[in-house]
Amino acid sequence: MENKIGTQLAAEPSTILRVKNKNKKLKQVKKSIPLYVLLLPSIILLICFTYIPMYGVIISFKDYSPVLGIWGSPWVGFKHFIQFFNSYQFELTIKNTLTISLYSILVGFPLPIALAILCNQMRVGMFKKVFQVTTYLPHFISTMVMCGMILIFLSPSSGLIANLLELIGIEMPNLLAKPVFFGSIYVWSDVWQHVGWDSIIYLAALSAINPTYYEAATVDGASKMQKIFHIDIPLLLPTAMILLILRAGGILSVGFEKVLLLQNPLNLPGSEVISTYVYKMGLQNFQYSLSTAIGLFNTVVNVIVLLFVNWLSKKLTKTSLL
């Protein structure tokens, strides 16, 4: 009897503590109700336009017919995946997509870091502001306008570059008609458009660095380059790794609109990527199940690459998304 009473007395403090923690959490929830109400429209939109449509992925395992509907269409298993893997477009689209994507990462990932460090070293306020605005502005040009500018500049007959080369007696080739040049045109125009905007997050990270680091380095006689290599770059590394992980997660998701607008029958061997192939199969040829299967394959590969790069970053730099 005494042991039972002692056990109850010992259990009472823990019970009281649990009740207090529960009441505390309820108070915090009640206090945050206005914030949850503000968040509610975004959650509803996310559910309606992201999660609910996910059930449509099952048509990649069916011979989908709009007449029969999603549930009425017959199951065919992995038929459409095998069809894509065996098609002559599989190797071409994978090669082009990986080439353009890796090219974009190799060129477009380090340049914003270099631009942010360069901008951070500027000491003349007015020049710094003009430099920043000049590099940010191209980001706000729409994809349609950007592609129109590229077509005008690279026209072999009336383009700006062709006219300049004609002054020195050089005939400009039709670059957009050659598949080998498509990747470079896509990547470098993309870099010009977005490098300034992408550098903003690195500038924010640099502005958060404690000034005492620079003061101590100055006392020790460090040069500007030594400060960059021993202070700026190491402290930017966590931010850079997070952004690299996010970019690696979209390794097979090359921008659809820009590729489609710059694409023509002559450069098709170098410009046909997964996203444009899905568009043509689904909306032009009405092969809905095949296009969905290709899109699902694309997503699965992106998720696998994202998890792998996240794991690798965690092992090497102790920085990860999870």
Side-chain angles (χ1 to χ4, degrees):
M1 185 69 180
E2 289 180 358
N3 291 336
K4 189 175 181 181
I5 293 171
T7 304
Q8 289 177 348
L9 291 173
E12 281 181 5
S14 61
T15 304
I16 294 170
L17 185 61
R18 283 199 299 271
V19 171
K20 286 183 177 180
N21 288 335
K22 187 176 180 181
N23 291 335
K24 186 177 180 181
K25 289 179 180 178
L26 286 173
K27 287 180 180 178
Q28 289 176 346
V29 170
K30 289 178 180 178
K31 189 183 294 185
S32 302
I33 285 177
L35 298 176
Y36 293 134
V37 172
L38 287 173
L39 190 62
L40 187 61
S42 300
I43 294 174
I44 293 172
L45 288 173
L46 183 67
I47 293 171
C48 290
F49 293 100
T50 302
Y51 288 99
I52 292 178
M54 279 184 182
Y55 85 97
V57 169
I58 64 174
I59 72 173
S60 60
F61 303 98
K62 294 189 168 196
D63 264 334
Y64 174 69
S65 170
V67 177
L68 298 174
I70 293 178
W71 297 110
S73 300
W75 289 91
V76 294
F78 293 96
K79 170 188 170 183
H80 300 294
F81 293 93
I82 296 171
Q83 181 182 346
F84 175 57
F85 297 153
N86 292 332
S87 71
Y88 73 95
Q89 289 283 6
F90 174 72
E91 184 179 348
L92 178 68
T93 54
I94 293 294
K95 184 190 76 171
N96 290 339
T97 304
L98 285 175
T99 300
I100 294 175
S101 185
L102 292 174
Y103 193 176
S104 297
I105 292 175
L106 289 174
V107 174
F109 177 70
L111 286 181
I113 300 175
L115 184 66
I117 292 173
L118 175 65
C119 190
N120 190 56
Q121 294 297 319
M122 294 179 183
R123 294 294 175 260
V124 181
M126 181 58 69
F127 180 73
K128 184 175 182 179
K129 290 178 182 178
V130 172
F131 180 79
Q132 286 179 300
V133 172
T134 305
T135 54
Y136 296 165
L137 281 178
H139 174 78
F140 299 100
I141 301 174
S142 69
T143 304
M144 180 71 75
V145 174
M146 173 58 66
C147 291
M149 291 170 62
I150 293 171
L151 293 173
I152 291 171
F153 290 155
L154 298 182
S155 172
S157 57
S158 58
L160 176 64
I161 299 175
N163 288 328
L164 292 174
L165 291 176
E166 189 178 355
L167 295 175
I168 56 176
I170 299 176
E171 184 179 354
M172 180 180 172
N174 189 356
L175 298 179
L176 283 171
K178 299 181 182 297
V180 69
F181 292 119
F182 184 85
S184 296
I185 293 170
Y186 177 92
V187 170
W188 286 104
S189 62
D190 205 57
V191 166
W192 173 74
Q193 186 175 11
H194 299 297
V195 67
W197 184 261
D198 292 342
S199 68
I200 291 176
I201 191 167
Y202 296 111
L203 279 170
L206 286 170
S207 66
I209 296 176
N210 194 332
T212 57
Y213 293 149
Y214 297 107
E215 293 170 2
T218 302
V219 171
D220 290 339
S223 64
K224 284 188 177 182
M225 291 302 297
Q226 288 174 325
K227 291 176 185 177
I228 290 171
F229 281 106
H230 296 286
I231 299 176
D232 291 343
I233 293 178
L235 293 177
L236 280 178
L237 189 59
T239 303
M241 289 307 301
I242 293 296
L243 294 177
L244 179 60
I245 292 169
L246 293 174
R247 290 196 67 162
I251 195 167
L252 292 184
S253 299
V254 176
F256 161 75
E257 298 91 349
K258 189 174 179 181
V259 173
L260 189 66
L261 290 169
L262 294 177
Q263 203 173 70
N264 60 59
L266 295 174
N267 66 24
L268 204 59
S271 64
E272 188 74 291
V273 294
I274 290 177
S275 56
T276 56
Y277 187 60
V278 168
Y279 165 75
K280 291 171 183 177
M281 288 295 103
L283 296 181
Q284 292 184 352
N285 297 335
F286 307 108
Q287 298 186 38
Y288 303 113
S289 295
L290 177 60
S291 62
T292 305
I294 298 170
L296 182 58
F297 164 75
N298 186 15
T299 301
V300 170
V301 173
N302 282 338
V303 170
I304 292 172
V305 172
L306 174 64
L307 294 175
F308 173 73
V309 175
N310 184 73
W311 172 82
L312 190 65
S313 174
K314 191 173 183 179
K315 288 288 184 182
L316 297 177
T317 66
K318 309 301 180 184
T319 302
S320 66
L321 294 175
L322 303 174

